Amino acid sequence: MEMSFALDLTLDEVRRRTAVLEALGDDWDPVAVLREEELAYDMLYSGLDDEQQRIYDELVVAGVLPDRGARDAV
């Protein structure tokens, strides 16, 4: 005998999202967070020596890391 069942997780997902938004608070600014994240990446990938830059460039070409130069062109 074959049995099948389905679970509707919609209500649990709504509860989870509500809890996340409550935890973030009213003063959470996603644009500022993204700006700070970009600044952190700029700092992380600045001042690389020649070998580090070569590896970084290889990772960008391989698609492992995003092309940070392309973002400045937009």
Side-chain angles (χ1 to χ4, degrees):
M1 179 163 83
E2 188 174 316
M3 299 181 89
S4 64
F5 64 94
L7 295 175
D8 184 0
L9 300 176
T10 305
L11 184 57
D12 289 327
E13 180 62 13
V14 170
R15 286 184 191 139
R16 185 194 68 78
R17 288 182 184 195
T18 301
V20 167
L21 291 175
E22 286 175 2
L24 290 172
D26 293 334
D27 60 344
W28 182 65
D29 182 358
V31 174
V33 170
L34 289 174
R35 193 175 318 119
E36 292 295 321
E37 185 175 315
E38 289 296 321
L39 178 61
Y41 279 118
D42 289 343
M43 291 170 56
L44 177 65
Y45 296 120
S46 68
L48 301 177
D49 64 28
D50 290 340
E51 178 68 9
Q52 292 168 331
Q53 187 66 51
R54 183 188 63 75
I55 293 169
Y56 173 81
D57 293 340
E58 286 180 9
L59 292 172
V60 168
V61 169
V64 175
L65 293 174
D67 184 358
R68 303 201 48 77
R71 127 189 108 91
D72 294 335
V74 175

